[in-house]
Amino acid sequence: MKTPEEYKESLKKMRPNIYKFGELITDVTTHPATRRCVEGHAKIYEAAHNPEYRDIAVTASHLTGEEISRYLSLIKSADEMIANSRLKRTVFNLTGTCTGGRCVGWTAINAMWAVAHDMDKELGTNYGGRLRDWLTKAQAEDIALAGAMTDPKGNRTLPPSKQDDPDMYLHVVEENNDGIVVRGAKVMIAGVAASNEIFVLPGMRHAESDKDCAVSFVIPRDIKGLTVIEATHPSDRRELEEKGFDIPTETGITQAYLFFEDVFVPRERVFMCKEYRYSLDAVWNFIMPYRSAIGGCVAGQGDVMIGAATLAARANGLSENVFRDTLTRMAINNETTFGMGVAAAAIGKRHASGVWLCNPLLSNVNKVHVASLPYETKVMTQDICGGIGETGCMPSSADLYHEEYGKLVQKYLKAAASGEARARIARLIEWLTVGAGIPGCLHGGGSPGGAKLIIWREIDLNRFVSLAKNLAGLKEEIPSPKK
Amino acid sequence: MKTPEEYKESLKKMRPNIYKFGELITDVTTHPATRRCVEGHAKIYEAAHNPEYRDIAVTASHLTGEEISRYLSLIKSADEMIANSRLKRTVFNLTGTCTGGRCVGWTAINAMWAVAHDMDKELGTNYGGRLRDWLTKAQAEDIALAGAMTDPKGNRTLPPSKQDDPDMYLHVVEENNDGIVVRGAKVMIAGVAASNEIFVLPGMRHAESDKDCAVSFVIPRDIKGLTVIEATHPSDRRELEEKGFDIPTETGITQAYLFFEDVFVPRERVFMCKEYRYSLDAVWNFIMPYRSAIGGCVAGQGDVMIGAATLAARANGLSENVFRDTLTRMAINNETTFGMGVAAAAIGKRHASGVWLCNPLLSNVNKVHVASLPYETKVMTQDICGGIGETGCMPSSADLYHEEYGKLVQKYLKAAASGEARARIARLIEWLTVGAGIPGCLHGGGSPGGAKLIIWREIDLNRFVSLAKNLAGLKEEIPSPKK
Amino acid sequence: MKTPEEYKESLKKMRPNIYKFGELITDVTTHPATRRCVEGHAKIYEAAHNPEYRDIAVTASHLTGEEISRYLSLIKSADEMIANSRLKRTVFNLTGTCTGGRCVGWTAINAMWAVAHDMDKELGTNYGGRLRDWLTKAQAEDIALAGAMTDPKGNRTLPPSKQDDPDMYLHVVEENNDGIVVRGAKVMIAGVAASNEIFVLPGMRHAESDKDCAVSFVIPRDIKGLTVIEATHPSDRRELEEKGFDIPTETGITQAYLFFEDVFVPRERVFMCKEYRYSLDAVWNFIMPYRSAIGGCVAGQGDVMIGAATLAARANGLSENVFRDTLTRMAINNETTFGMGVAAAAIGKRHASGVWLCNPLLSNVNKVHVASLPYETKVMTQDICGGIGETGCMPSSADLYHEEYGKLVQKYLKAAASGEARARIARLIEWLTVGAGIPGCLHGGGSPGGAKLIIWREIDLNRFVSLAKNLAGLKEEIPSPKK
Amino acid sequence: MKTPEEYKESLKKMRPNIYKFGELITDVTTHPATRRCVEGHAKIYEAAHNPEYRDIAVTASHLTGEEISRYLSLIKSADEMIANSRLKRTVFNLTGTCTGGRCVGWTAINAMWAVAHDMDKELGTNYGGRLRDWLTKAQAEDIALAGAMTDPKGNRTLPPSKQDDPDMYLHVVEENNDGIVVRGAKVMIAGVAASNEIFVLPGMRHAESDKDCAVSFVIPRDIKGLTVIEATHPSDRRELEEKGFDIPTETGITQAYLFFEDVFVPRERVFMCKEYRYSLDAVWNFIMPYRSAIGGCVAGQGDVMIGAATLAARANGLSENVFRDTLTRMAINNETTFGMGVAAAAIGKRHASGVWLCNPLLSNVNKVHVASLPYETKVMTQDICGGIGETGCMPSSADLYHEEYGKLVQKYLKAAASGEARARIARLIEWLTVGAGIPGCLHGGGSPGGAKLIIWREIDLNRFVSLAKNLAGLKEEIPSPKK
């Protein structure tokens, strides 16, 4: 398994095709716009070599029996799925934020493993074999694998085939014996800058008229024809600064827009091509474990917020006991999203391909919680910290260290800890709550509105009606009125 | 395994020692104050003979390998603990309310099984053997077993030994070769009227000075010296009526005050006697599975509320789609308490005695949810139903069937269903939300305040502080200020 | 102004036409099913003679200048409307529950005063004069006036004229020089048993085809052809008991179904007859002040809950400081519904008739809060009290005073207060939270769903869009898409 | 009254004493770090000359009868206090954010007006006269007046006199016939860069030993000895860019640290000097109107969020009706904070000095709502907008306009509106929810924890206990237990 250094080395070798602020990034491991993202992902490589985290970060390949990163493993049981939640919580503990250049890819492997199995069985294709071959190699090379699902979507009320511009959904434009050519985009893709390869899969169900969009494959990040533009978030100009701690961490996350201008993908890396009836399965198999384990992510960040809030209280001269009720409520939020993910895993079931499928109802309930509880936790963190953490209400590092008046800044920021320590803590809280550390709680893994729709479809309303009728001794038929 | 009829027969044979409204109840299976409670518990016996529920209601004894009620089984794995949550949800589905005359006893067996094991190992006692012998017989006889934990407590700020009246905590007043004599009370005990035996265990941790209160045993419900007074809840005078549907169900639950006036318990039924250091373990081992599985209870009632609300909407002429968002939120609440219980089971661990111990943090987080989410669900049920379900705002059955003006009542209650059907649905909703069907969400299994205290103690605050410090690159020591 | 005794005397004289549990109530002031409702309303008469409450309970008639009950006054300013909120809060403080036999009638007077003014002006009718004459007399006699608005409604998806049964909405069946004849029903009408007269007004907007339902009038409660059936709520059988304190209060509220079987109303008591275009105004003018002031009602009950919870804590031996956070949150809920009502009054405006109109947006926002905050307050009250207040988990008065074992009940209920005192407090909390004291927070004054619809219509979405566009410097037209 | 241009001219003339990022700002009206703050405040000057806003922005001086900015007026009635809420809502509508360089100063004038009156009456001082003279001039000059209250506070558990460093609280170091000399700091002061003068007042109650901190005065912003360091918030490096719309607005707000190094204040500008018994009054009189009217601020920003979310939905091709429930809940939040402020004004009372005092209970309840409801509104805004608004998940303006690939960025951002329009809307939402537009909802005007403490002290617990006892017919004395 790769060391962090070997991992970074592998990234350095790649063709530069990532841009931000109008400039080409030649080395993602050192450029200020991407290096924190790489450092965050490097912590995963580090963890694999650290006895404290080894158990959770490393597992045995079901293909070779060799030790591999859990992020490249097949999830075959409730326990392995629970390990997914734990791993994500742990990695958020270590990075304070998302390492989306690994978890999306991991989930994509598992989702497509089951779909490939079904297609092969029902259609006589050989996607499963291709996927196995690629995965064996990926595990051996210990690659960092991002995943790409979300299409630009254009007019949200129209299907792909009805869009003014056909490129609003990534689609196959050519297919031959050697492979396929794809055009379009995938947007808001996390951790691309820190990844070696990208696993692409459909973003929604497809009708026959949209079958060109039913496509899944894996590509090197620096493949010909692919251009990557990194998104900008509010505080990322701070990341460009060389000194100070206004960005308080060495870790970070990026989101990218991927433009595919007639990219050729060789056939052995294609796992779905126009089998539109299976697009929904791919999406479904993806979102269940994703919405289950994302509860571990936000819990892991929530743990850091409890720690940061406690530090802030102490630095202000106050015992954490003053905030016992608030800190307890933060913990309740954390354990709720973590726990619901564990539960969705625990009562899941095994797919014929060997992949573990999480319970759809609990996974989606968790997505709804993930879209609300972390926001409460953030507000509570700011509440405990005071105004300086709420809106970053203090001078910059440049001012704190200023030759002339820096001493004054430090003097007046001092409380039960030094002015610098208080400022660092407050910047961390700012970063976690209104800064670069915010993960996509609302829309990462899909919107809460979409999750609610699935919940509505998954509950067995008529069974509940029968229970109520039986209890009330009601014989009369009371149908739902026709429109 | 007993049929419902055999079960009721077993209750009929017992000595009458239960009072309500100042009167002695001679037959709990027919007396209007207790028969609904018995009928509710009888549904469990029925389920054991029903192929649809058999898997969840019946399991194999680890002692004899025979089929037994799951309510008398030892819980030895995460899956068996998850089955506990499922069973409770199922039984609430069937009864609409609590069957506390079984689940508390079940949890008590498991809690004391582990404690007996530890006492035997550390103190050389033989409580484990006694418990095994008794349980073997209890399983064979398929008894209904209530559990009793809560002491009257007197002045809440004083320990047992400092109370003005020593009887405020049940305690041993005599101990000899044949057994022990106990005095005091246990209060708010559910389902006593429907039980054959009662399992008693400590209600709190004890200091040496309180060692007489460190006592656990099991007794027949009609043992000499025990007087049972049933509590009254708002709508239970309705239960006394012979006609109509103002009490809409055939099921129900009772809570009793148990007065022990020098009750003699033979030694083979005593599982703890003055080993005060183990009282806390008994409590701890009890509350974890209880607070985990209680999420299944309230989810099971929530399922019925979704059904009842849907019926109410339809009876008003409205499609349930009108209330999709509200019904979805009700489902989210249900799945959250159920799911958190599942999660607490899934990441539990095995005790040396073989008993499965739920995760303390998640169990207690679940208790906090159980103390709030069902109330939201109730309000949403009433919201969908309209005013007649909210406060029972319609005439009684006596008026609905009145010779003279009953037709008018029915005429004006009619909507998309008959007036009687609408009234029955509304009474069911009233029963579920402000009537006899309400389980003790807040204080059943302990208060949310107590659960929060455990959460506070279980979270590893200093680990979280370290995570935050590492992320912020903070070296300065920032201790919690001394008082 | 009447004394409480004179008020009761006036009720005694009326023709018995109220039924409950299948029986005719011959004297509402002494019958156990209605006397608590009468006693509650009598407190208003008492307050008028009590210097402490006189300022809020009494005001000057704008017609005669004489002192009158505020409940029969015209509300002509923000301050008088705020006094409405204060009065309701005060009366809930004194009764613990609703006195709906006065506030609905009061609001109806004011609503119809404005509508009568507009009809007279626009149609040349003389409804305003009739209303003034009747009101002058009503003030002089100091009557208790109920109000009736809600029709049975039958199939909720159909208008009155399309119902299978035309009686689903109260309507005019005959009109002549002397007056009108009406048929149908009004349902869920509060405090009828405690009232002398009933003010009837439309319950919804009407199209021309429904014009027979556009009718408003006032009648003596015992008018020929009117039959009143009282609704039953969960705990009201307790009210029939002569002894004990299972019903802890001397006050209460009733809701009735009113059946109009061809009731003749003389023309001088008719204030609208088929002017269907004004039905919506009547409803609108009614719900604004009603939804504003109902916040005072629930705040007034919330005050009592804070008091009861504090008592419960103290009786358990605990200082209220232990529950400071919870009690503070209860107070926040109370002040929010009270305050929003005050605000809706403060930024209202005067109608040409002299009547003060509350702000529609804030009134309806308050209705939404009234439909949720009191439920939180109830749960918090139960939380502080413990299990005995949550589900009435203690023996009845009959058991507490039982010759044989009553002493045991009292002994074991004792804590820092006597067993009887603790029981009384717990019964009060039970009464307030799951018993007869619950007011109709959800549907009283209309449902929260209806209130949200009005809010949606009242907000000026396009103005907000312009603000956002201006700030973002956005010139592009972005219309709402057509369906 | 000044025009926006005259206002800016007045700022240009001032001595440069403001620093940010280590640099001195020579012209606040053009420097990118401060110009948006000045532009925001300039909108107030603009509104005074705009017929649409004149009524709310301008009022008559009670001193001279001349037209003045409402921000320099004395608030003497409920209506004028309600106008305060309206004005703040309006200004947030126009600027999208805080204009703290005016509202804090305004509130300070009013708070000290009452305190000066009391001191003069009780101590024979002439603070009132000084204040009147200064205010007359300030109104005539139409100055922008900031306010400064918060001291650095050092160790939060110690009073000023016990701090290691006496400068942790601004204090008087010298006093003579000409005036006073002060040293220390005020921190987190809003809008200093946009103000002409700064009104300083005590930040907490004082004991006699802390009397040197009991000081109030007003100074020109560029007074000798005062150094101002602007705080940095996450996205403010974007403000430094000259092109693009990553900062989407022309408005903004700054917060500053003010260091007083022996600043001399002439006596005619001193309004309190060591009268420590009056410090609490100053604070109290300040926070009541402030916490009342801040509800208008957040409502005004909430209006913009409703508009922005509606725009985002439309730009995505969706009707706002899809989000009706969410938008309605946003409106409920806005009207709640606005309404509670109105209510606190409506039931306030007049101080002997003529100043209107808001109701303390409702003001503080509002502060609690302000510290939570806007966060819900922000999350709902992001929910409707989708991922691009949540975390700014799209390329920068530099990329959108990039010569080479900018067309691709625009192509793939296009939906029912152009790519640029969607980006602008999303940036506005980002700015409002995780960017520079966030006002200090939690700690602005004090923390919610402090507000809850006042609520706890303001509620009349024993009156509520009496109500409950009366209702329950309880005679027994049940005192709060002694510690």
Side-chain angles (χ1 to χ4, degrees), chain C residues 46-193:
Chain C
E46 208 178 302
H49 296 276
N50 181 335
E52 190 178 346
Y53 302 116
R54 193 176 177 76
D55 273 3
I56 193 70
V58 175
T59 187
S61 168
H62 83 293
L63 297 170
T64 64
E66 297 292 312
E67 288 202 325
I68 55 165
S69 168
R70 190 179 289 279
Y71 277 109
L72 292 169
S73 71
L74 212 66
I75 301 164
K76 301 172 307 296
S77 67
D79 282 346
E80 288 183 355
M81 186 60 217
I82 293 171
N84 183 335
S85 287
R86 284 194 201 274
L87 175 54
K88 286 181 179 168
R89 188 167 187 169
T90 301
V91 175
F92 258 80
N93 279 180
L94 298 176
T95 63
T97 183
C98 176
T99 48
R102 303 234 41 182
C103 69
V104 188
W106 181 21
T107 314
I109 296 169
N110 278 273
M112 287 307 300
W113 191 274
V115 177
H117 172 274
D118 290 347
M119 287 189 290
D120 289 357
K121 195 171 155 199
E122 292 160 24
L123 309 175
T125 50
N126 184 26
Y127 292 130
R130 290 182 190 172
L131 188 49
R132 188 181 337 103
D133 292 346
W134 167 80
L135 183 58
T136 308
K137 195 155 159 288
Q139 290 176 345
E141 292 177 4
D142 198 15
I143 66 168
L145 175 71
M149 202 168 184
T150 306
D151 296 283
K153 293 204 284 275
N155 189 322
R156 268 67 179 161
T157 56
L158 301 174
S161 58
K162 293 280 168 56
Q163 298 283 331
D164 286 343
D165 180 343
D167 297 348
M168 288 301 105
Y169 289 82
L170 183 76
H171 58 289
V172 180
V173 289
E174 205 188 309
E175 185 184 2
N176 58 38
N177 280 346
D178 297 334
I180 61 173
V181 177
V182 296
R183 187 188 297 154
K186 290 282 181 177
V187 299
M188 303 196 270
I189 308 304
V192 170

Side-chain angles (χ1 to χ4, degrees), chain A residues 336-359:
Chain A
T336 299
T337 59
F338 173 69
M340 288 303 291
V342 166
I347 63 168
K349 60 180 183 189
R350 195 183 311 274
H351 182 264
S353 64
V355 166
W356 188 256
L357 301 176
C358 288
N359 180 274

Side-chain angles (χ1 to χ4, degrees), chain A residues 22 167 232 237 241 246 392 399, chain D residues 22 232 237 241 246 392 399 411:
Chain A
D167 297 347
T232 177
R237 269 87 170 170
E241 300 188 345
D246 292 344
D399 295 307
Chain D
T232 178
R237 268 89 170 169
E241 301 189 343
D246 291 344
D399 295 307
K411 166 189 168 100

Side-chain angles (χ1 to χ4, degrees), chain B residues 100 103-105 107-109 111-112 115 146-153 168-171 184-190 192 198-206 213-217 256 258 260 278-291 443-446 454:
Chain B
C103 69
V104 188
T107 314
I109 295 169
M112 287 308 300
V115 177
M149 202 166 183
T150 306
D151 296 283
K153 294 204 284 274
M168 287 301 106
Y169 289 82
L170 183 75
H171 58 290
K186 290 282 181 178
V187 299
M188 304 195 269
I189 308 304
V192 169
I198 305 165
F199 202 120
V200 172
L201 72 174
M204 58 179 288
R205 78 156 74 200
H206 291 125
C213 305
V215 62
S216 174
F217 53 86
L258 277 54
F260 293 78
Y278 294 84
S279 290
L280 180 61
D281 287 349
V283 173
W284 189 260
N285 290 347
F286 181 92
I287 62 180
M288 296 317 144
Y290 197 85
R291 291 177 182 182
H443 297 95
I454 298 180

